[in-house]
Amino acid sequence: MPELGLILLAAGRGTRFGAEPKLLQPLAGRPLVRHAAEAAIASGLGPVVAVLGAHAGRVGAALDGLDLARVVNPAYADGLATSLQAGLAALPAAGSAIVLLGDMPRVTARHLQDLADAFRRAEPAPAAVVPIHAGVRGNPVLLNLRLLAPALAGLSGDQGAGRLLAGRADVLECAMDAGVRLDVDTPDGLAALR
């Protein structure tokens, strides 16, 4: 049983970006979604599952050649919770999972390894490890499935684990650089990265 797995959420419609799927927009010669996927694989932490939904065929094709599993979430329009749950269901049994967002191209393998290292060093094991930059929590997030699985299964709508973790005292914050707060939501946001 792997100690840890990684879930790449790449199912959203990206409606704030415009008509073309934002996860397919080029950045440094590669589709946006591929940056996060490559970071997950390069971390070497465990199996990677990409959750697809809107534009599943095209986004999935952007991940061709990468060592990851893919799952299509037919209920992606019902909100982020359904994609998180689809990823957890598709992940080989693991005690913890790192959840990455497909629109965060500045997240690196090092960020992921630092989250995993912080989790392994913590006593007692926290419910989650979250990156923090300039006093604000970011992504990706490491979730302790042994503690959180029932609560994650009960999420609904457009909520991820953030609301679930907000009131918990057993969440470990890990200081990181601005890459953990930088997601691409608009064409202007993408242009600023180029």
Side-chain angles (χ1 to χ4, degrees):
M1 180 170 99
E3 175 185 346
L4 187 146
L6 300 99
I7 300 169
L8 172 64
L9 299 179
R13 291 175 285 186
T15 53
R16 287 180 284 177
F17 195 86
E20 281 299 307
K22 74 174 176 179
L23 294 180
L24 300 178
Q25 298 305 305
L27 178 65
R30 303 188 316 280
L32 187 63
V33 69
R34 199 163 171 105
H35 292 263
E38 289 173 349
I41 294 163
S43 74
L45 293 170
V48 180
V49 173
V51 182
L52 309 175
H55 319 289
R58 293 174 64 194
V59 174
L63 301 174
D64 281 352
L66 297 179
D67 183 19
L68 51 74
R70 302 171 202 197
V71 61
V72 176
N73 173 19
Y76 69 89
D78 293 340
L80 177 66
T82 64
S83 291
L84 177 57
Q85 291 157 350
L88 289 168
L91 195 67
S96 56
I98 295 178
V99 181
L100 302 91
L101 305 180
D103 63 356
M104 296 188 70
R106 295 297 185 243
V107 168
T108 67
R110 182 79 257 157
H111 290 117
L112 305 174
Q113 291 162 347
D114 288 348
L115 289 173
D117 289 345
F119 181 70
R120 289 181 187 123
R121 287 193 308 266
E123 283 293 333
V129 182
V130 298
I132 187 167
H133 177 75
V136 180
R137 288 181 175 180
N139 282 292
V141 174
L142 186 150
L143 303 173
N144 182 339
L145 301 179
R146 291 180 179 93
L147 296 178
L148 296 175
L152 292 167
L155 290 175
S156 63
D158 205 26
Q159 60 178 317
R163 186 179 303 167
L164 182 74
L165 301 177
R168 295 187 69 114
D170 57 352
V171 174
L172 176 62
E173 293 181 339
C174 188
M176 293 190 177
D177 65 44
V180 300
R181 297 276 336 278
L182 185 64
D183 63 335
V184 175
D185 287 325
T186 64
D188 288 343
L190 182 59
L193 291 180
R194 289 185 171 141

